[in-house]
Amino acid sequence: MQEEMAREKTFNMRLTAEEVQTFEMVAGHYGLPVASMLRMLVKKEHREILAESSVLADTRSVEQRDQIVGGKLTLKIDKKPKKSPKAKR
């Protein structure tokens, strides 16, 4: 079981009664206290942002590689049609 890290920092925010109700409803859906639900959702969003940024970084590196080698992508296409077996009569 993972040990709970000591949390020294606090994050204060003012909420409307409607926001408190929404937070509690979402936390209740997951069976968590509001603070744990917020941590969970922030971690989820953080992972998604990291995944998106790594995809963008990979895309940029491909574009940079293309520029380094002349910026052209060539594909070999076999222009010869495949022979299909002729039907015998």
Side-chain angles (χ1 to χ4, degrees):
M1 192 164 156
Q2 185 179 0
E3 288 185 38
E4 194 69 24
M5 295 181 355
R7 293 186 169 100
E8 298 174 3
K9 304 281 184 180
T10 60
F11 184 80
N12 296 313
M13 57 191 291
R14 296 174 191 256
L15 302 171
T16 65
E18 183 180 341
E19 289 171 327
V20 170
Q21 187 177 14
T22 302
F23 277 39
E24 289 173 346
M25 189 270 305
V26 174
H29 172 77
Y30 290 106
L32 297 170
V34 171
S36 297
M37 178 269 305
L38 287 171
R39 286 184 189 100
M40 178 192 74
L41 294 176
V42 168
K43 285 179 185 178
K44 176 185 172 201
E45 289 298 317
H46 183 246
R47 284 190 302 270
E48 289 178 12
I49 291 167
L50 290 176
E52 288 173 8
S53 66
S54 76
V55 167
L56 291 175
D58 289 347
T59 302
R60 282 185 285 230
S61 65
V62 168
E63 291 170 356
Q64 289 169 351
R65 266 197 314 266
D66 285 349
Q67 289 174 357
I68 291 169
V69 295
K72 294 183 181 179
L73 175 65
T74 57
L75 299 174
K76 281 191 168 185
I77 300 173
D78 187 6
K79 293 185 180 182
K80 297 178 186 176
K82 292 184 179 180
K83 294 182 181 179
S84 59
K86 294 182 182 179
K88 294 183 181 178
R89 290 188 186 194

